[in-house]
Amino acid sequence: MTPFALLARLGAAVLGLMASLGRITLFTLSAFSHMVRPPYYAREVLNALIQVGWMSLPVVGLTAIFTGGALALQIYAGGARFNAEAVVPQIVAIGMVRELGPVLVGLMIAARVTSSIAAEIATMKVTEQIDALVTLSTHPMKYLVAPRVLAGLLTVPLMVGVGDIIGIMGGYLVSTKSLGFNPASYMINTVNFLAAHDIYTSLLKGAAFGVIATVMGCYYGMQSGRGAQGVGRATKSSVEAAAVLILATNFVLTGVFFSI
């Protein structure tokens, strides 16, 4: 392959990426515009809140508690090399609230909710149910997309808060039951070390990740090709895009919030 051909391929890839980002941005703006304009479908919003929020709590809780426990063990083992085992409560708290809590919840939502939304909407497109909505004068963006994006915006920050608490409790259980920490001292150190800024930024990250996860599911579902292969491709692409965007957005928000 000549250098010019390689450069042409690289340029085409960059242009394709920028075009995709532009389409996703316009899709997101359209979803928010339909979210604030009537008519409203309260039943669809309620169903989305249950599916995105309530039904995701078990996997979020299990992920958080095991992560908090493993984090406590790792910090204790590392701190023992420098006689700094006492920092376990503080590092578990700040690690869960600032970073691991929002990111892990976002990735779990991408794995569970994004894939579900993409498969559902793609199947509706394949079976021409979306065309039927248009025939009935119901806008697909307002009926299918806006309720799910709103549910992600509202429920994922709450799940991040729950995940942070459960993760800290996982570290607390491991530290007090296995590592010999005093329970009262552990909780005091945790509460005193966390600042309100840490909590606010954690919840804001959750809101951003919730929007990303739901938008990616809706976007790739609406862009799905025909047939079973189209549904499978849309589901796979939505999860990949959501996971990458969540990690990239986390990096950007961390830099903005904590001034690296």
Side-chain angles (χ1 to χ4, degrees):
M1 182 182 297
T2 64
F4 293 105
L6 180 62
L7 186 61
R9 286 194 176 186
L10 179 61
V14 172
L15 290 175
L17 176 62
M18 297 303 295
S20 296
L21 290 176
R23 287 191 294 268
I24 291 171
T25 301
L26 293 176
F27 185 87
T28 304
L29 293 175
S30 177
F32 275 96
S33 69
H34 283 286
M35 194 185 303
V36 298
R37 290 186 285 114
Y40 305 108
Y41 298 98
R43 187 184 186 89
E44 291 300 312
V45 173
L46 179 60
N47 288 335
L49 290 172
I50 293 173
Q51 292 297 323
V52 176
W54 179 254
M55 300 298 290
S56 299
L57 278 176
V59 68
V60 167
L62 288 172
T63 301
I65 195 167
F66 288 127
T67 301
L71 185 61
L73 291 173
Q74 292 282 11
I75 295 169
Y76 184 84
R81 302 177 184 179
F82 309 99
N83 295 321
E85 301 93 332
V87 300
V88 170
Q90 294 91 332
I91 303 301
V92 168
I94 198 169
M96 286 301 305
V97 172
R98 282 192 177 189
E99 193 69 22
L100 290 177
V103 170
L104 289 176
V105 170
L107 292 178
M108 288 300 102
I109 295 299
R112 183 188 178 279
V113 175
T114 303
S115 58
S116 174
I117 291 174
E120 181 181 358
I121 294 180
T123 302
M124 293 181 69
K125 183 175 181 180
V126 169
T127 56
E128 299 182 352
Q129 294 180 54
I130 294 179
D131 295 334
L133 287 175
V134 176
T135 303
L136 295 171
S137 300
T138 302
H139 201 296
M141 289 292 294
K142 183 171 290 294
Y143 188 80
L144 297 176
V145 177
R148 289 165 171 80
V149 176
L150 178 61
L153 179 65
L154 296 178
T155 60
V156 176
L158 297 178
M159 285 190 290
V160 167
V162 172
D164 291 345
I165 294 171
I166 294 176
I168 291 173
M169 291 307 300
Y172 167 84
L173 292 174
V174 170
S175 298
T176 56
K177 302 300 182 183
S178 301
L179 304 179
F181 281 78
N182 179 270
S185 176
Y186 188 99
M187 293 307 299
I188 290 172
N189 288 330
T190 298
V191 173
N192 289 341
F193 192 75
L194 284 176
H197 177 70
D198 300 325
I199 298 172
Y200 297 152
T201 55
S202 182
L203 299 181
L204 288 173
K205 282 185 176 183
F209 298 162
V211 170
I212 290 171
T214 50
V215 165
M216 289 300 99
C218 294
Y219 174 78
Y220 281 97
M222 297 288 281
Q223 299 296 318
S224 169
R226 299 291 181 178
Q229 286 188 343
V231 175
R233 191 177 298 111
T235 304
K236 180 188 69 174
S237 299
S238 67
V239 175
E240 291 173 347
V244 171
L245 284 176
I246 284 171
L247 293 174
T249 303
N250 177 67
F251 174 77
V252 173
L253 292 180
T254 299
V256 171
F257 291 147
F258 302 110
S259 301
I260 60 173

